[in-house]
Amino acid sequence: MIEDNLDIKTPEYVSIQFQLAGLGSRAAAFIIDQLLLSVFNILILIALYFVMDGMSSMPFFLTDSMLPVAITIIILFIVNGGYFFVFEFFSGGRTLGKKVVGIRVIQENGHSITLLSSFIRNLIRIIDSLPTAYFLGIVMIFFHSKHKRLGDLVAGTIVVHERKQKRKKKLTPIEKEIENRGLSKDDLIIDEWTLKSVGMKEWELINTYVSRFHQVPLEERNQLTKQMAEILFPKLGVEIQGQLESEMEDTLLVLYLLLRDEWEFEL
């Protein structure tokens, strides 16, 4: 089936184009995920076998214990039931299979998938799998104009192809500045929840800041840096007091690196 493009107008009135993932790519990702889960299930069952085999040499009153079986059932239920939900939320809409294929789940407004959306779409997966072999889900994805299964309809999500950043033969001035300062994403520790609270408006602010970084005099840049820090640092839980202008600059540049992967797309 032909992959379609979708234009989304964000709440910040920015138009972003996505390439919808069709049945083929989504099926490939799902098969990979199921193979990984199958390997995990087999390893757990093998471990259970050896545990039960080892218990056979124990005293009689312990050999009938079903505790290992109960623990195994609980582990299998949690892993198989929560795999898609956990990975899609905490890994930017990507399960391991989706990462390999190069697709991800996002909200219809173009933002990252939320905890509630991830929970709903994967809870409805039970219905999509009916009557067998994901028949209902396959039919929905094939015929729906946006390649949605029932879980996507209820959760308000879509599955799209990853948008690769443009390859550049040489570093941009701001990338050279970041490299010369020896900065990396690891220099700023922000939890996933806080990072997800940063939206398009904040990205546009930081993007404007770095684009003007080398274009304004030092004194004006210091003022701009303080203004940006006063706006963004409280939202991120970063302390402003006691920081020099150079330290605030470093923090803002690292924040740019963190947000760029999420918001800088090849349109």
Side-chain angles (χ1 to χ4, degrees):
M1 192 169 186
I2 299 175
E3 308 282 359
D4 300 321
N5 290 328
L6 177 68
D7 288 315
I8 292 179
K9 184 77 72 174
T10 70
E12 294 80 13
Y13 302 103
V14 176
S15 181
I16 303 177
Q17 186 180 81
F18 296 92
Q19 184 183 16
L20 292 168
L23 180 59
S25 54
R26 293 183 65 169
F30 180 75
I31 290 172
I32 293 172
D33 287 324
Q34 288 301 316
L35 287 175
L36 292 173
L37 285 173
S38 297
V39 171
F40 175 83
N41 294 340
I42 291 172
L43 291 176
I44 289 296
L45 292 176
I46 292 175
L48 174 64
Y49 170 80
F50 284 110
V51 170
M52 297 300 291
D53 185 60
M55 290 179 64
S56 62
S57 61
M58 294 182 178
F60 174 77
F61 67 90
L62 291 176
T63 57
D64 291 335
S65 175
M66 296 300 291
L67 181 60
V69 176
I71 293 175
T72 300
I73 293 174
I74 293 173
I75 292 174
L76 291 176
F77 176 78
I78 292 175
V79 172
N80 287 271
Y83 170 83
F84 291 94
F85 162 65
V86 171
F87 266 98
E88 285 183 356
F89 177 70
F90 289 101
S91 190
R94 311 171 189 89
T95 61
L96 296 176
K98 288 182 175 68
K99 285 184 179 180
V100 172
V101 177
I103 60 178
R104 65 186 297 203
V105 184
I106 61 173
Q107 296 184 86
E108 285 185 306
N109 60 6
H111 289 185
S112 299
I113 188 171
T114 64
L115 181 67
L116 180 61
S117 296
S118 180
F119 176 76
I120 292 175
R121 82 181 300 272
N122 287 295
L123 181 63
I124 303 299
R125 190 181 294 276
I126 300 172
I127 301 177
D128 280 312
S129 63
L130 298 175
T132 182
Y134 272 85
F135 177 79
L136 179 59
I138 291 173
V139 172
M140 287 287 297
I141 293 171
F142 186 83
F143 287 105
H144 195 275
S145 61
K146 295 182 181 178
H147 308 311
K148 290 189 171 195
R149 62 177 177 84
L150 186 59
D152 292 312
L153 287 173
V154 177
T157 56
I158 54 175
V159 182
V160 299
H161 284 278
E162 293 279 12
R163 288 147 296 169
K164 298 180 181 179
Q165 296 180 19
K166 296 179 180 178
R167 293 184 178 179
K168 300 172 184 178
K169 295 182 180 179
K170 59 181 181 180
L171 296 176
T172 62
I174 196 63
E175 288 173 335
K176 290 180 180 179
E177 181 72 29
I178 292 173
E179 185 178 80
N180 292 336
R181 295 189 181 207
L183 301 175
S184 69
K185 298 176 184 177
D186 297 331
D187 294 329
L188 184 60
I189 307 300
I190 301 178
D191 63 82
E192 191 74 22
W193 292 88
T194 302
L195 193 59
K196 284 180 178 295
S197 70
V198 179
M200 176 67 76
K201 184 179 296 184
E202 287 80 9
W203 160 246
E204 290 177 340
L205 281 174
I206 197 70
N207 196 33
T208 301
Y209 171 76
V210 298
S211 67
R212 299 182 58 193
F213 194 83
H214 294 104
Q215 299 175 1
V216 297
L218 180 59
E219 184 176 349
E220 185 178 340
R221 190 175 82 191
N222 288 338
Q223 293 178 352
L224 183 60
T225 297
K226 290 180 181 179
Q227 292 173 355
M228 290 292 297
E230 290 173 355
I231 295 173
L232 295 176
F233 284 13
K235 190 176 184 67
L236 300 171
V238 178
E239 185 63 43
I240 301 177
Q241 294 294 332
Q243 285 203 36
L244 301 175
E245 282 83 358
S246 59
E247 294 174 327
M248 288 189 283
E249 285 179 356
D250 288 347
T251 301
L252 290 170
L253 292 176
V254 174
L255 179 60
Y256 166 75
L257 290 178
L258 291 171
L259 296 180
R260 183 176 62 177
D261 291 342
E262 183 69 27
W263 294 106
E264 186 175 66
F265 302 128
E266 181 178 355
L267 302 180

